[in-house]
Every structure is written in structure tokens, then in C-alpha cells.
Amino acid sequence: MKKILLLLCLCLFIEEVASRELDKTFQLLPQPQSIELTYGKGINYWELSYILSSDTTSIPILGDMLNKLPRCPRKGKPIRLQLTSQHVPASPEGYMMEINDKGACISARPMTGIFYGCQTLEQLMEDSRDFNILIPAMLIIDYPAISYRAVHFDVKHHLDRMEYYYQEIDKLARYKINAVIWELEDKLRYTRRPEIGAPNAISKQEMQALCRYAKERNIEITPLVQGLGHAGFILKHHWELRENPDSDWEFCPSDPRTYDLQFDLYRDAIEAMPYSKYLHIGGDEITAIGIDQRCKATGKTPFELQMIWLKKVCDFATAHNRIPIFWDDMPLKYGGVWDLVNSNETQDEIAAKWNDKKLNESIKLFPKECVYMRWNYKDATQPGHQRILQWYHDKGLKVMGATAASCGSSPFIPRENSLAGYIKRFSKLVAQNQLEGILATAWDDGSPHSETVWRGYIAQGEYGWNPTARTVEAFKAAHAQREFGFHPNDNHMAFLDELEQEAFFFDDALVNSGRRNPAWGTTDFTLISLPDPDAPGAWSRTYQQKIAQAKVEQKRYEKICQGIKEAKQHALRNRYTLEVYEQTNHLFNFPVRLILALHNYDITIHEQDKQTALQQINEVCNDFQTMRKQLEETYSQTRFMEQPDGYIADQNHHNHLAAKSLPFPFVSAVLPASVCILGICTF
């Protein structure tokens, strides 16, 4: 009988333990692969009072809380760090963590796993402190689904302060991102070709120091120096190497001097970023090659010329012990499959139209040592896109995925939940197909502040580590807690969804036809007209849809203001991010206020009332200058806001106005309509 009762109790205990889940007050990001609650009381964060290591000479860089703890026994309970090959994941980044009322123990094969285990423990301790809750007894087994998890720093049109880059490295490490691909263009002070670097460019010594700092935190920084196309930063100084004399976009791939120059820039970039295994060579979005006499004389097709260039730069990379990474769009365009790769057609429709004969015939032109970066900033799971991934696999070519935390066509703020859904789907695809890695690009064409991009970066940390763990909505809640210390039951970041929606009206609120594109700047568009004082109401009838939406957006703006106010009151950290969102909200509201003021003027009949309405318009226009000043002051805490004396802007067909204005990252590319319409103050 006693045995039966004992077995019954044991079964009930096992069932109870198995059914237990980690309290939702704890939001670990990225989500570990396995969390098992074990028997025992658990422990408070403050009871963990010192660190013991089996290898005292190589304790990793730790987070803020762990770094304050002594490395020797004292009163309290220990955090044990031990290197072992027993019962731990095979991944060099994997770890096992045991927590009970006697302390915490993190085990891993190399120190990299110990480092990531410490990041997880730091988050548990942070939640225990923030919400006064016991860390439960548990066993965590954790490792990444994708070994190379990178984000993209794009500094072509802006430059942040060096101290801010160090802060960003710390945050990337916190979320287990292990790589940065840094798009330099003219923001490196090249020593072999000093004319290429901008006057305010980062020195090689500064970049080397940052790379060392990143390496200590298990982050590898790779240079991206654009080649063949996107060459305005070079060809504005070297007209003699242009493929098209009227454009500074492309090099001539048939001129030997092209390679002399490019290779000098690559050498400098490799020296500036000495710890990476990769060199990103660019190579995308070519508009015209094979048109000058040097190329025509070769008798080669544009496809062949592109791939000849690719082979030469790949040979350079491998000779310098770097694996080349190449944006892969041009071979797919020349091969005739680009439209299908990006199509939303069904699998059967794609199959009926698919013709890879030209690609197959040209396979000998594809360097095997190259990593082909398959970029897709929307839904990477579409049949056409998956089909090209299969083609790469069948041909034995190495592929890396590139999703997006920010797209260049979206001014000032990423949209669609910071593109987290697209990041999740592409990361899952990368893990399933065992691709070389995943990159979350973050294009600066639309002048977003990095703080607005960080939710997308952190989504890459989440889904690059564990692509299947959380829904996007669950990730957003975890992000709010981790970044700001909000309790999971609160919804203090709801305003961000509204802010992303507000942005869509802002994009073209003052445009009558066409569309402004901050990445191109010179896109044809027309502005809305101004009210005719002699035809009251006519303007309002013409723009009744804009007026109706402006009224909706004004209410949205007020709701966002209240949401940000409450968030700032409750945030435990990262208030600067909220300040950036706050100023972005004020910016987005400007065309709303202007349209409503114009509407009020248009429908006013009596002269005295009309003068009052006109004064209101003037007030809105004057407020624009105040709003702009406040936004620039917020941006300038981390970003240089003016191009230096002597800076020469690119003249390519992208014609990025954001790179030409002073202050340059702000309004010119995104708000030409707003600026122009200030002329209403004079009528």
C-alpha cells in the first residue's frame, strides 16, 4: 500500500512539474530553446553575490548586473561558470544553465557559450529586480538555430557618434546578435586613397578599436565597400572610371584602373576591420554596363562583364583570407528569373513560367568561393523565392539570407511591426535550409534614427536564435519589457503600432500626384494646391478625402502623445528611444495640422475670421521650425547633424537629398512639400 501511495505521489509530482511553465513575468529575449522548471524554491537576484569560474583567466564580458559582482567567494550564493563537454549543447554558442536555491551554474564548451548564458542570466536577474519576483528553479538548454546572425549598419548618408556605436555593440551582444555588416562608402578614412573618405570619416584606428571591443563581446564586424555599382562616393572623384560619363553610379569593369582603386579600398577596409572572415563586395543594382567603348571592345555581354568583375574581386578576397559576400540580384536579372523570384504567384504558376536555362548555361561564371546574399525584404517564403534558393542548393553555391529591419523607401520609421514578421519567416527559412546565415539590413535612405530601427534589430536577435518560439505579438511584448522594463501585463508600447500607421499618411499627405521617395529624391510628384480666397470651399471639395483622413490622424496623434507620455512615466530604461519616437510623432503631425488649417481657411467666409484662419496657418508654419529644431536636438545626441566643410555630394540617379542638406539627415529628402508650402504664409 505504501509503495502504491509513493508511486501515486511521484506521478502527481511529475505531472505537476511537467505542466509548470515559466512565469510570464520573465520574458527572455531571445527565447531559449528549452526551459524546464525544476523542483525547489528558486532564488532572488540579490542572493547571487559572487562569480566563480573553472577558468579564472577567461571570465567573459558580462552585463551591467553581473559585472558588479566580485570574482571570489563572499557572503551569499555563487554564479558558477564552467567549461565542459558533458551534457551541454554541441554548438559553440550553446550553454546549459541550472538555477536553484543554492545559486546558478552556467556550463558550455567554449567561453562563447558561457557569454551567452550570462546574457540570459542577466535578463532573469533584471526581471527579478524590476518586478520583485523570485527566479524559479530551472534548467535551460540553449543554442542558436542560425550560426551567423548579423545586422546592417548603413552610414552612407549619416554618421553617428563613436560612443553611440559602442552602446549599440553592447545592445547587440545582449540580444545574442554576433555580427555586423558595416556599409562604409565614404565614411572610412582611407589611407591608400584619401580623396575617397569624407572629411568627417572614421579613422582606421577608431574602427579597429571598435572591432576589438565587439570581438570581446563575440561580435564580428565585416566591411561592406560597394563595388561596380553604388559607386558615387568614388566616381564623383574619378570620372575617368565611369561606365557612363553622365552617371557616377557604375565603374567600368573593363578598365584595369577600376580594380587598382577598388582593391586599395578593400585593403584599407580589411585593415580597419581585421577580425572578420568575410568581405562584402557589394555588386548590386547595376543600371548600365557594356555601353562604353572599353566594354564594347571586349565583345562580352553585360551578364559576362558583371561576372568577370565578380570573379576578380572574389579572387582578391580569397587571396586576403576573406570569404566574399555578394548581393545576388544582377545575375538573377540577367538570367531572366528576377521577376518570378519576387512574384507573389502560386507555386503552380511559378512552375509554369520558370525558365532557368540562361542561368544554368552561365553557371561556370558563378565563383564557388562566393557567398550569394539573397535579399528579400518582404515575404521570403513565396514560391518563386524558395525556388531560387533550391536552385542555389542544387548548384552547390553558398547562400546567405538578407531580410530588413528598415527599408529605404520608408521615411523616418520602419513599418509593419518593424518588419518582424518578415524577419521571422526568412530566419525560419534560413534555419530549415541551413544557409550560411541571416542579415537584417537597415537602409538609411529615409533618415530613420537607429533607435527607431532597434525593434527590428532585436527581432533579428530573437528569430535568428530561435525562429519558431514566439509569435510577432508575443515578441513585441517581450521587446517592451526587455527594452523599457514595462510589466508584461501593461501595454505601454501600443503607441508604436499607431505611430507606424501615422507614418503612411505623412508620406504623401501634401502630394497631389506621383509619390515622393526618400531613396531617390527626384521622383516626379506635384504638390497640393492652395485655397483660392475667391472660391471658398472649392479647395475643401477637391481634397475632401485628405481632410477626412487628416481628422482621423489628428486623433491618432493625440492618442500617441498620451501613450508616449505614459510610457515615459513607467519606463525603467531607454528613455532616449521614447524621446526619438516622441519627436517623430510631432514631425508626422505637421502635414495633418497644415491640411486642417488650410481647410479652416478655405471654408471661412467673413474677412475677420479669414484673417484669424490665416494667422493659424502662419502659426503652424512657424511651429514647423520649432518642431524641426527639437527633432534635430534629439537626433544630435547620437548623430552628427551637418555635413562637414568640403563634403561633395554624390550625383548619381538616386540623388539622395538627405545627403545634401544641412542638417543633412532630416527634412530635405522627405519633406520637400512641407518646406515648399511654407510659401502660403505670404499670400
Side-chain angles (χ1 to χ4, degrees):
M1 186 66 178
K2 289 183 178 179
K3 289 183 178 180
I4 294 174
L5 288 173
L6 183 62
L7 286 171
L8 182 61
C9 291
L10 182 60
C11 290
L12 290 172
F13 170 74
I14 293 172
E15 183 179 353
E16 179 186 355
V17 171
S19 64
R20 292 167 66 201
E21 294 182 350
L22 184 63
D23 192 305
K24 295 188 183 303
T25 306
F26 293 97
Q27 293 285 332
L28 301 178
L29 209 165
Q31 178 71 32
Q33 300 290 346
S34 170
I35 301 176
E36 177 187 349
L37 298 187
T38 57
Y39 180 76
K41 179 183 176 184
I43 195 167
N44 283 298
Y45 80 95
W46 48 264
E47 296 180 88
L48 296 167
S49 56
Y50 61 97
I51 296 172
L52 294 178
S53 175
S54 60
D55 186 356
T56 56
T57 62
S58 60
I59 291 177
I61 299 294
L62 303 172
D64 290 340
M65 297 182 70
L66 292 176
N67 198 46
K68 296 174 183 175
L69 301 182
R71 273 60 165 173
C72 57
R74 55 169 288 182
K75 185 178 180 181
K77 299 173 182 180
I79 299 169
R80 299 183 183 275
L81 310 178
Q82 60 179 26
L83 299 177
T84 179
S85 59
Q86 302 297 313
H87 310 299
V88 295
S91 167
E93 297 178 300
Y95 64 92
M96 179 176 70
M97 183 190 303
E98 297 177 272
I99 298 176
N100 52 44
D101 59 358
K102 294 180 174 57
C105 180
I106 300 173
S107 307
R109 294 172 185 268
M111 270 299 171
T112 307
I114 299 290
F115 173 84
Y116 287 127
C118 287
Q119 303 307 312
T120 299
L121 180 59
E122 180 95 3
Q123 293 185 15
L124 288 168
M125 293 173 65
E126 193 173 70
D127 286 341
S128 175
R129 178 199 64 196
D130 291 348
F131 307 116
N132 192 27
I133 187 173
L134 202 70
I135 303 173
M138 68 177 77
L139 173 66
I140 295 178
I141 306 291
D142 199 15
Y143 51 88
I146 300 171
S147 60
Y148 186 83
R149 308 173 302 281
V151 299
H152 175 226
F153 284 4
D154 179 16
V155 300
K156 310 189 274 293
H157 308 307
H158 79 272
L159 196 61
D160 290 321
R161 303 179 187 277
M162 284 304 300
E163 57 266 28
Y164 185 60
Y165 292 130
Y166 280 90
Q167 294 169 18
E168 290 192 294
I169 294 298
D170 285 336
K171 188 179 286 192
L172 291 174
R174 172 178 168 89
Y175 295 113
K176 301 185 176 69
I177 291 166
N178 65 3
V180 175
I181 293 181
W182 197 308
E183 185 154 357
L184 291 163
E185 294 205 1
D186 60 359
K187 299 306 186 294
L188 181 67
R189 200 174 303 161
Y190 301 99
T191 55
R192 291 175 173 85
R193 303 283 182 150
E195 74 278 9
I196 303 301
N200 63 338
I202 301 169
S203 73
K204 290 164 75 172
Q205 293 78 13
E206 288 175 314
M207 187 61 75
Q208 288 164 358
L210 183 65
C211 289
R212 286 193 297 272
Y213 186 88
K215 184 183 179 186
E216 290 172 345
R217 290 151 181 81
N218 296 290
I219 294 172
E220 174 184 311
I221 301 181
T222 292
L224 195 172
V225 181
Q226 279 285 5
L228 196 56
H230 287 273
F233 73 106
I234 301 169
L235 297 179
K236 64 188 177 186
H237 303 286
H238 290 275
W239 288 50
E240 72 279 6
L241 298 179
R242 295 182 176 197
E243 175 76 4
N244 179 354
D246 297 324
S247 170
D248 62 2
W249 189 251
E250 296 105 349
F251 278 110
C252 172
S254 301
D255 193 324
R257 296 173 298 175
T258 289
Y259 302 96
D260 293 339
L261 196 157
Q262 275 202 286
F263 294 168
D264 278 348
L265 301 185
Y266 288 154
R267 289 185 184 96
D268 280 347
I270 289 171
E271 291 170 3
M273 303 178 179
Y275 307 115
S276 174
K277 61 180 174 287
Y278 292 115
L279 171 66
H280 201 310
I281 57 177
D284 63 321
E285 297 185 322
I286 308 304
T287 59
I289 56 173
I291 65 172
D292 76 341
Q293 293 304 314
R294 293 166 294 195
C295 286
K296 288 180 178 179
T298 67
K300 304 292 186 181
T301 66
F303 195 173
E304 291 171 320
L305 290 168
Q306 172 92 34
M307 302 308 279
I308 289 169
W309 170 87
L310 179 60
K311 176 61 176 170
K312 288 183 179 180
V313 294
C314 285
D315 287 347
F316 171 88
T318 54
H320 289 78
N321 299 311
R322 296 289 178 109
I323 301 169
I325 301 176
F326 164 67
W327 301 119
D328 76 339
D329 53 305
M330 294 311 302
L332 304 186
K333 289 178 180 179
Y334 291 132
V337 300
W338 178 252
D339 289 340
L340 289 176
V341 166
N342 294 285
S343 171
N344 59 5
E345 294 180 78
T346 67
Q347 187 169 344
D348 289 343
E349 290 171 332
I350 295 292
K353 298 177 182 178
W354 189 263
N355 184 353
D356 56 10
K357 181 181 178 182
K358 195 170 183 179
L359 277 181
N360 293 331
E361 291 174 347
S362 305
I363 190 62
K364 62 182 183 297
L365 300 177
F366 287 73
K368 291 281 188 172
E369 66 272 25
C370 184
V371 173
Y372 295 85
M373 183 159 272
R374 175 77 297 281
W375 56 274
N376 186 307
Y377 304 152
K378 293 293 185 180
D379 187 1
T381 64
Q382 291 177 333
H385 189 254
Q386 294 205 56
R387 186 153 188 147
I388 196 63
L389 291 179
Q390 185 63 48
W391 182 87
Y392 277 121
H393 179 269
D394 294 343
K395 301 302 179 183
L397 299 174
K398 294 181 290 187
V399 181
M400 185 179 294
T403 180
S406 177
C407 291
S409 59
S410 298
F412 284 101
I413 190 172
R415 318 291 170 86
E416 300 180 79
N417 297 313
S418 305
L419 303 172
Y422 298 131
I423 294 170
K424 175 181 172 68
R425 289 197 284 275
F426 207 163
S427 296
K428 185 178 179 180
L429 204 60
V430 168
Q432 289 173 339
N433 292 276
Q434 298 184 315
L435 304 186
E436 300 296 310
I438 184 76
L439 168 70
T441 60
W443 303 103
D444 77 339
D445 303 326
S447 301
H449 193 290
S450 297
E451 293 301 304
T452 68
V453 179
W454 261 105
R455 188 165 72 163
Y457 280 161
I458 296 170
Q460 185 60 79
E462 165 83 351
Y463 296 123
W465 189 273
N466 192 345
T468 60
R470 282 193 178 100
T471 64
V472 170
E473 288 303 311
F475 160 73
K476 288 159 60 179
H479 163 267
Q481 181 168 328
R482 288 270 60 87
E483 278 294 277
F484 305 100
F486 298 138
H487 192 278
N489 292 333
D490 298 330
N491 193 20
H492 289 309
M493 289 301 291
F495 75 84
L496 186 49
D497 291 341
E498 295 290 338
L499 188 62
E500 290 186 357
Q501 286 301 311
E502 185 184 37
F504 288 102
F505 183 71
F506 166 83
D507 289 347
D508 294 304
L510 302 178
V511 173
N512 189 50
S513 64
R515 188 175 187 278
R516 295 181 290 123
N517 187 328
W520 295 76
T522 55
T523 306
D524 290 335
F525 61 88
T526 61
L527 302 176
I528 62 174
S529 61
L530 299 178
D532 184 352
D534 298 323
W539 186 90
S540 297
R541 288 190 293 273
T542 300
Y543 298 111
Q544 58 181 331
Q545 290 184 339
K546 284 186 182 289
I547 295 166
Q549 189 61 39
K551 292 177 179 178
V552 173
E553 297 302 329
Q554 183 60 31
K555 292 180 180 178
R556 191 193 308 272
Y557 165 78
E558 293 166 359
K559 182 179 179 181
I560 295 169
C561 285
Q562 182 61 32
I564 294 175
K565 180 181 178 181
E566 292 174 0
K568 292 173 77 173
Q569 289 172 345
H570 290 88
L572 302 179
R573 48 191 171 267
N574 292 332
R575 290 176 60 86
Y576 178 65
T577 308
L578 299 176
E579 291 174 7
V580 172
Y581 283 135
E582 184 173 46
Q583 295 304 323
T584 304
N585 183 39
H586 295 331
L587 168 66
F588 288 168
N589 187 237
F590 170 74
V592 173
R593 292 180 63 201
L594 186 57
I595 287 171
L596 294 179
L598 291 170
H599 169 56
N600 185 44
Y601 174 86
D602 180 58
I603 62 175
T604 300
I605 298 175
H606 300 295
E607 184 59 30
Q608 185 174 353
D609 293 339
K610 219 165 188 64
Q611 288 302 314
T612 301
L614 186 59
Q615 181 59 38
Q616 182 190 6
I617 296 172
N618 276 280
E619 289 174 0
V620 173
C621 294
N622 291 334
D623 286 349
F624 176 84
Q625 301 302 332
T626 302
M627 178 271 300
R628 172 172 178 162
K629 181 174 182 289
Q630 290 173 343
L631 187 144
E632 290 177 351
E633 287 175 350
T634 301
Y635 267 45
S636 67
Q637 294 181 43
T638 58
R639 179 172 292 187
F640 295 105
M641 293 298 291
E642 294 186 357
Q643 295 284 19
D645 292 339
Y647 182 78
I648 303 171
D650 300 0
Q651 299 297 317
N652 60 62
H653 66 276
H654 270 50
N655 201 17
H656 292 276
L657 298 178
K660 300 178 181 182
S661 62
L662 294 171
F664 72 91
F666 184 47
V667 186
S668 299
V670 188
L671 282 182
S674 302
V675 176
C676 292
I677 209 162
L678 294 180
I680 193 157
C681 299
T682 64
F683 79 81

